[in-house]
Amino acid sequence: MSATDRSTSLTELARLGFSSLSEADALLAEISDATGFERGTLTERATAAADPDAAVAAVAKIVRRAPQAVIDLRGDPVGWRALWALTGASSGFADFYLRHPEELASLRGAGAALPGIEAMRETMLQAVGAEDGFAAGGGEASWVALRVRYRRILACIAAYDLTSDSAVDEMPAVAAALADAAGAALEASLCVARTRMCGGGPGGGSFTRDEVAGTLLAIIGMGKTGARELNYVSDVDVIFVAGLAPDAPDGLAEGRMLDIATRLTVQTMRGISGVEIEPPLWEVDANLRPEGKQGALVRTLDSHLSYYDRWAKSWEFQALLKARPIAGDPVLGDAYVAAVQPKVWTSAARENFVDSVQRMRERVTEHIPAEDVAFQLKLGPGGIRDVEFTVQLLQLVHGLSDDNIRQRGTLDALDALVAEGYIGRADAAAFARDYRVLRLLEHRVQLRALRRTHLMPAREEERRVLARASGLAASAEDVWALWEATKREVRDIHVRLFYRPLLSAVAALPAEERVISPAQAHDRLAAIGFTDPTGALRHIGALTSGISRKATIQRHLMPVMIRWFADGVDPDYGLIAFRRLSERLGNTPWFLRMLRDSSGAAESLTRVLSGSRYVGELMEWIPEAAAWLDDDELLRPRSGSSLQQEARAIQTRHTDITGAMRAVRALRRRELLRVAMAGILGTTTIEEIADALTTITEVTIQAALRAVRREVVPPEDDDLDFSVIAMGRFGGRELGFGSDADVMYVYRANGVDPQRANQLALQIVAELRRQSEDHRVPLDLDADLRPEGRSGPLVRSLDSYAAYYQRWSLSWEAQALLRARGVAGSVKLIAAFTALADEIRYPAEADAQGLREIKRIKARVENERLPQGTDPARHLKLGPGSLSDVEWLVQLVQLQHAHRVSGLRTTSTIAALRAAEDEGLVPTQSADLLAEAWRLSSRLRSANTLLSGQTSDVLPADRGRLDGIGRLLGYPPRSATQVEEDYFGATRRARRVFEKLFYG
């Protein structure tokens, strides 16, 4: 061939779709020379393949090994077309025909029609020479013959699939044929296993033929196999059921029968997926059996039913929805399905049905590597699992009372749901089309190498092959665009199919929308987690009824918001809180615009409302806070200086104390709400939350003190100094939601008559406590840490404090001063008090007797201060290894070493702990364990308050509340046990450190 002719030839190959032009040109010439076929004949068929280069390369390899097999097939146009389609779409089939070129003869007529179930079963049994349930041989040759014959059948199915005019429409029939082929393969493998059990092969048993024949074994297909919607390469989920044949030998006891059945099962599975000369077909997965991997591989029917009646969980019944006998004894298989099917549908009435539905949702969003999410056909958002979950959920919700929708297959179930009026025809048709598209793409990516995968190809060249193989798109870009559009539509239709019809039970919808009854809407809401579906329907109706702009917008948004509420901690409370908020805001333009245009803000709103009664109750009174959700910066805690500026402006505007304090309380509530929302949405750390809550409390007390002083102290006594000293966690800037504000009060007369000064100070304290009261979000100014505790004066002069500490101070009072920090009032007085406190809390020499007394008091506190009936291990403040253990240990170190170590002279627990670590006073590992327990205890306390809206120091035992707390801390749903284990583990480790370092 001249250079010009060769150039023309390569150009033509490029036009026809080849990529490796020179290689393809050489291989076509090689095939032509070896077979005598004209080059045009070869290129005609190759260019019709998904990957012309791969097809030519594969056929060339087969020709080198068995040219006559290829020449003979050329005489059958259908088979010839099938060869090129298979090798161009699947390197797996190319390798198969290279291993077994004699199998090319079986391609004659392949692709004209799908093989029927009986034909597949018959040919599989012929492959192993089966007669009366026993194979001709039980050796490895029988397994090899079985696998080769199965791949012959698989090739016929794939040929039909690849050469059909509309593969997407043929997908259901192809999937059904694949499931039937799997059943036929298992039947043939069971025949080989029976022969092995009679000593007919290595590794078998020594049972008599009559004993093996008298042992019935039914193989029940589950999942996609049971539903007849199998993939090309997929695990085949099964359950094995054993029984005695009516004509079983008299001496065959049930125990021996089960032994035989178990061995038969093992050998049957091995014949399919064991390592042999011919590669395995697929995995036989029996993990859906009772007790899963820990359960017996085989059970009798009675044993299965006993387990399901006594121990099974709802999800196990739901897994039986698709159960179908596929191999083995058909009578026993039918009896099993007939016995378990009613249990599938009654499972929806079980108490834990909602929990099992949520587990189904988790399986939809099962953890997959982040880098795979965009490529996941099966598990990713908008993927195959989303479709299957939606359909199965609708079946389980409505199938209890309507047996017409009890279908195994996804597409059959969709048709039934339409026929019974549960979903609209248009949406169902689009959903079914999307499902077929997704499944076709999955089939093609699995065919490529005949291996299990659910990932769209990342390389453009592979996407181009996928586009051609599927017939769904013309190019790599187009098939990816189709995939993205399908995902979006699946997610959208999921909302329309399940949630949108809920509105039809309470509001008028367009005529084309199918309407479900209130009872059916009730069932759907109950299934997704609403404990009061009737109330929820009432709220949905109130939100979406009418012709106002607000009602119109909410009708469009409500379906997806219901889904978001259902994903939250408390869907019922979230929905009613949203209704109250909507009613408060009315037709406020910005609110309606945010709901309509900002799905992120709307979703965050459902999250904070369903996750926290604390937030819901505050937002009802501060509805404008919803606007913060549309701007992350507005959720950041405000600085102390900006809050101070606003508080001072309040005092300027209001001349009366009542008005001023009303505004200050409003400021405090608003900022607490801001911090709470930020905490729930995870935009702030526990340290930032504590600092923000402390700042808000400081600003509130400072503003209150200014207002009270202006009201109480006359001008002639203005020289009186008065200050508020923060103590405890307030002093350490470690406040949580619901924390008390521990304080002490100090004054200095500065020339004012001492008695008069004391009276004025008492009036200030009384009025300060009264004016700072807030019935919505309580602020308790707790002065119990003052000298002499509750028995001592509520307020003292600086001189009185000095005299007391010099003469009477107890060790615990010096310990309490470690957290003392001035927060309001006279700056000079605060400095003087701090200097006095430093002398007491940072002694040059630690008092050994005082330290022993502190240890004795700690032991007494653990025994006496715990509320009666409270499990010490669950007390977040006083329990072993919790807050008090860490704080008392740190304070003991401070009393001993703070005079020498400047880093210990801090009111912060964690800062002091790290200073002790830096100084070598606390080992690093011990400091980490203590800090972990302290932080977790602090977070749990705050989460407990946010969830319930009530302050509690006890980790709840109620699983629902504990799960809600875990959700607020970022745990996945149903993590109540994990939250407990994490807390108990952290505090147990911290307690060991505490006992070693505190008591010595």
Side-chain angles (χ1 to χ4, degrees):
M1 180 184 295
S2 69
T4 301
D5 291 340
R6 177 174 173 76
S7 175
T8 303
S9 174
L10 295 181
T11 301
E12 179 65 11
L13 290 177
R15 187 185 66 79
L16 292 173
F18 286 89
S19 297
S20 303
L21 305 182
S22 297
E23 183 179 354
D25 183 61
L27 291 173
L28 285 167
E30 180 183 345
I31 298 171
S32 180
D33 291 343
T35 61
F37 299 153
E38 293 183 0
R39 184 186 176 96
T41 301
L42 301 176
T43 55
E44 178 187 2
R45 288 268 51 95
T47 53
D51 186 344
D53 296 274
V56 168
V59 172
K61 289 179 182 178
I62 298 169
V63 165
R64 290 170 194 158
R65 181 170 184 187
Q68 193 58 47
V70 177
I71 294 170
D72 291 344
L73 183 61
R74 175 66 182 85
D76 179 71
V78 176
W80 184 243
R81 179 188 183 193
L83 170 64
W84 289 93
L86 288 169
T87 54
S90 172
S91 61
F93 277 119
D95 292 341
F96 172 67
Y97 288 118
L98 185 60
R99 293 195 304 273
H100 303 284
E102 71 280 2
E103 285 294 317
L104 287 177
S106 65
L107 283 179
R108 289 180 173 273
L114 283 170
I117 184 171
E118 291 303 325
M120 286 189 279
R121 190 173 295 267
E122 183 178 348
T123 190
M124 287 300 306
L125 294 177
Q126 286 176 353
V128 297
E131 215 174 289
D132 297 328
F134 288 80
E140 294 182 3
S142 294
W143 282 344
V144 170
L146 179 157
R147 296 179 186 187
V148 170
R149 186 62 55 88
Y150 172 82
R151 289 195 167 95
R152 176 192 294 181
I153 294 173
L154 193 67
C156 291
I157 295 172
Y160 177 84
D161 186 10
L162 290 166
T163 59
S164 64
D165 293 333
S166 178
V168 72
D169 293 322
E170 296 293 343
M171 189 283 300
V174 169
L178 291 170
D180 294 340
L186 284 166
E187 187 71 61
S189 190
L190 176 57
C191 292
V192 176
R194 289 195 184 103
T195 301
R196 291 174 76 88
M197 287 301 97
C198 301
S206 56
F207 302 101
T208 67
R209 186 182 179 94
D210 286 344
E211 286 179 319
V212 175
T215 298
L216 301 180
L217 183 67
I219 303 178
I220 310 299
M222 307 287 284
K224 283 185 166 60
T225 308
R228 297 186 76 224
E229 47 190 26
L230 197 60
N231 301 324
Y232 277 96
V233 186
S234 174
D235 288 355
V236 172
D237 296 313
V238 296
I239 285 178
F240 296 100
V241 188
L244 281 169
D247 57 351
D250 293 338
L252 184 59
E254 182 175 293
R256 185 167 177 82
M257 178 272 292
L258 281 173
D259 185 21
I260 294 172
T262 301
R263 292 169 182 261
L264 283 173
T265 297
V266 171
Q267 293 300 320
T268 299
M269 295 168 71
R270 185 179 169 191
I272 299 293
S273 53
V275 177
E276 299 296 336
I277 297 173
E278 182 67 13
L281 302 182
W282 19 259
E283 285 295 320
V284 181
D285 189 342
N287 290 335
L288 290 177
R289 65 186 184 271
E291 300 180 82
K293 293 180 180 180
Q294 283 70 46
L297 188 60
V298 183
R299 291 175 182 255
T300 63
L301 176 57
D302 288 342
S303 177
H304 273 99
L305 296 181
S306 176
Y307 172 84
Y308 290 131
D309 287 337
R310 298 181 62 188
W311 308 112
K313 298 176 182 177
S314 290
W315 71 264
E316 293 180 273
F317 293 119
Q318 290 154 24
L320 292 168
L321 188 151
K322 300 178 184 297
R324 177 178 65 90
I326 58 171
D329 187 75
V331 176
L332 180 59
D334 288 339
Y336 172 87
V337 172
V340 300
Q341 278 302 299
K343 301 179 188 298
V344 173
W345 306 107
T346 56
S347 69
R350 290 176 163 232
E351 288 184 5
N352 59 347
F353 175 66
V354 172
D355 181 70
S356 66
V357 168
Q358 290 170 337
R359 289 185 183 277
M360 286 170 60
R361 291 179 68 82
E362 282 180 15
R363 287 195 287 274
V364 172
T365 55
E366 183 179 334
H367 175 70
I368 50 179
E371 62 272 17
D372 287 351
V373 171
F375 302 93
Q376 258 288 351
L377 280 160
K378 180 178 181 180
L379 302 178
I384 293 167
R385 275 277 180 88
D386 266 359
V387 179
E388 293 170 346
F389 165 74
T390 304
V391 174
Q392 189 173 349
L393 180 56
L394 285 167
Q395 284 183 279
L396 290 168
V397 170
H398 300 299
L400 176 62
S401 57
D402 189 346
D403 56 7
N404 291 325
I405 62 172
R406 299 178 181 180
Q407 307 293 327
R408 292 189 181 97
T410 301
L411 295 172
D412 290 340
L414 261 177
D415 290 341
L417 288 165
V418 170
E420 297 305 311
Y422 294 105
I423 55 179
R425 292 186 184 279
D427 281 339
F431 215 34
R433 168 75 183 185
D434 289 340
Y435 184 64
R436 289 194 296 269
V437 166
L438 292 171
R439 290 298 307 277
L440 178 59
L441 292 172
E442 182 183 43
H443 280 182
R444 292 299 182 264
V445 297
Q446 291 185 350
L447 267 179
R448 187 66 170 148
L450 273 187
R451 66 180 181 86
R452 183 185 178 192
T453 180
H454 308 288
L455 296 177
M456 285 284 285
R459 293 173 50 234
E460 183 177 353
E461 177 60 26
E462 287 297 315
R463 291 181 194 170
R464 183 182 68 83
V465 173
L466 176 60
R468 291 170 59 98
S470 65
L472 294 172
S475 66
E477 295 79 9
D478 289 347
V479 79
W480 188 260
L482 172 68
W483 153 236
E484 292 289 350
T486 303
K487 285 193 295 181
R488 287 193 298 272
E489 186 170 64
V490 165
R491 298 295 278 184
D492 184 47
I493 293 178
H494 166 70
V495 173
R496 296 207 301 268
L497 287 184
F498 192 86
Y499 299 97
R500 177 73 176 169
L502 293 171
L503 274 63
S504 69
V506 295
L509 287 178
E512 64 270 15
E513 290 283 349
R514 300 300 292 260
V515 178
I516 63 174
S517 70
Q520 293 164 346
H522 179 286
D523 291 343
R524 290 197 189 187
L525 288 170
I528 58 176
F530 285 86
T531 57
D532 180 17
T534 302
L537 282 172
R538 189 168 59 250
H539 300 314
I540 293 168
L543 285 162
T544 58
S545 298
I547 58 174
S548 68
R549 181 168 176 264
K550 180 177 79 168
T552 301
I553 290 174
Q554 302 229 41
R555 272 197 297 273
H556 289 299
L557 187 62
M558 187 52 58
V560 73
M561 292 194 76
I562 294 171
R563 188 189 78 191
W564 290 334
F565 281 126
D567 288 338
V569 175
D570 188 343
D572 298 87
Y573 180 78
L575 181 58
I576 191 173
F578 178 71
R579 177 183 173 181
R580 291 170 181 163
L581 179 66
S582 295
E583 289 173 349
R584 289 294 298 271
L585 289 171
N587 289 311
T588 307
W590 67 261
F591 180 62
L592 297 177
R593 187 167 54 251
M594 183 189 80
L595 292 179
R596 184 192 64 200
D597 299 338
S598 179
S599 61
E603 183 175 6
S604 294
L605 179 60
T606 63
R607 184 174 165 192
V608 297
L609 291 178
S610 66
S612 171
R613 287 178 179 262
Y614 184 97
V615 166
E617 291 166 5
L618 276 176
M619 193 173 278
E620 184 178 350
W621 297 99
I622 315 172
E624 63 274 12
W628 302 338
L629 296 167
D630 205 21
D631 186 345
D632 288 344
E633 281 304 309
L634 294 178
L635 283 174
R636 296 295 305 168
R638 292 176 62 195
S639 66
S641 59
S642 66
L643 293 180
Q644 280 282 15
Q645 187 176 1
E646 182 178 352
R648 291 185 181 277
I650 288 172
Q651 189 172 2
T652 302
R653 287 197 307 271
H654 296 275
T655 57
D656 65 302
I657 190 170
T658 303
M661 287 310 300
R662 186 184 302 115
V664 169
R665 281 192 292 273
L667 180 154
R668 174 173 174 266
R669 293 171 191 166
R670 185 193 68 214
E671 296 311 316
L672 289 176
L673 176 58
R674 190 192 309 274
V675 177
M677 291 167 67
I680 292 170
L681 296 174
T683 61
T684 53
T685 65
I686 185 64
E687 289 81 9
E688 290 173 325
I689 290 172
D691 187 70
L693 294 176
T694 302
T695 297
I696 293 166
T697 304
E698 288 175 3
V699 171
T700 302
I701 293 174
Q702 290 162 4
L705 180 57
R706 286 194 298 271
V708 167
R709 184 180 176 99
R710 185 172 63 183
E711 192 80 10
V712 171
V713 180
E716 62 270 21
D717 296 321
D718 199 45
D719 288 340
L720 174 73
D721 281 345
F722 183 93
S723 297
V724 180
I725 308 299
M727 304 290 286
R729 291 174 69 83
F730 184 23
R733 301 192 65 82
E734 297 161 352
L735 289 182
F737 292 101
S739 294
D740 292 343
D742 293 314
V743 295
M744 292 199 308
Y745 305 106
V746 59
Y747 71 90
R748 183 162 54 187
N750 280 343
V752 178
D753 177 73
Q755 187 173 356
R756 171 71 172 161
N758 184 256
Q759 290 175 344
L760 288 172
L762 286 170
Q763 290 178 37
I764 291 172
V765 170
E767 191 66 7
L768 184 62
R769 297 177 76 177
R770 188 175 73 84
Q771 293 293 344
S772 63
E773 286 180 354
D774 187 341
H775 298 299
R776 297 205 182 283
V777 192
L779 174 58
D780 184 8
L781 301 182
D782 188 341
D784 288 352
L785 291 177
R786 65 186 184 271
E788 301 179 83
R790 295 181 181 177
S791 302
L794 191 58
V795 61
R796 290 175 182 263
S797 68
L798 181 63
D799 290 341
S800 175
Y801 276 109
Y804 176 84
Y805 286 132
Q806 288 171 6
R807 296 184 61 188
W808 309 109
S809 175
L810 300 175
S811 55
W812 72 265
E813 291 170 323
Q815 180 186 358
L817 284 174
L818 287 166
R819 314 290 290 279
R821 181 176 59 86
V823 294
S826 168
V827 175
K828 291 182 179 179
L829 180 54
I830 288 174
F833 183 89
T834 302
L836 170 63
D838 285 350
E839 295 177 9
I840 308 301
R841 59 187 173 182
Y842 307 139
E845 292 292 336
D847 176 20
Q849 179 60 33
L851 297 178
R852 284 193 294 271
E853 179 66 12
I854 288 174
K855 295 178 182 180
R856 188 188 66 79
I857 293 173
K858 177 68 171 78
R860 192 183 73 204
V861 165
E862 292 179 5
N863 294 324
E864 297 178 2
R865 285 190 58 193
L866 275 172
Q868 190 172 4
T870 299
D871 179 0
R874 307 189 80 87
H875 204 283
L876 299 165
K877 183 177 180 181
L878 302 176
S882 65
L883 293 173
S884 67
D885 274 5
V886 179
E887 291 170 357
W888 280 62
L889 173 58
V890 169
Q891 290 158 14
L892 186 72
V893 173
Q894 287 179 290
L895 288 170
Q896 292 174 298
H897 304 286
H899 181 79
R900 176 178 61 84
V901 181
S902 61
L904 289 171
R905 296 198 286 273
T906 174
T907 60
S908 165
T909 300
I910 296 299
L913 177 62
R914 292 308 180 189
E917 176 193 353
D918 293 341
E919 196 65 21
L921 302 172
V922 176
T924 296
Q925 185 178 9
S926 298
D928 290 342
L929 294 176
L930 293 168
E932 177 192 8
W934 188 90
R935 284 198 176 95
L936 182 55
S937 299
S938 298
R939 295 180 70 209
L940 288 169
R941 280 183 89 199
S942 281
N944 203 357
T945 300
L946 286 175
L947 177 70
S948 64
Q950 299 174 341
T951 302
S952 174
D953 288 327
V954 179
L955 187 69
D958 177 79
R959 311 315 289 174
R961 285 191 62 189
L962 199 54
D963 179 58
I965 289 172
R967 296 279 294 277
L968 292 179
L969 298 190
Y971 286 81
R974 280 170 312 286
S975 293
T977 299
Q978 189 61 52
V979 172
E980 272 186 335
E981 290 179 354
D982 287 352
Y983 175 69
F984 291 152
T987 52
R988 185 172 58 250
R989 293 185 291 270
R991 181 65 179 187
R992 285 198 294 266
V993 173
F994 168 80
E995 289 179 343
K996 179 179 179 180
L997 299 180
F998 190 82
Y999 291 115

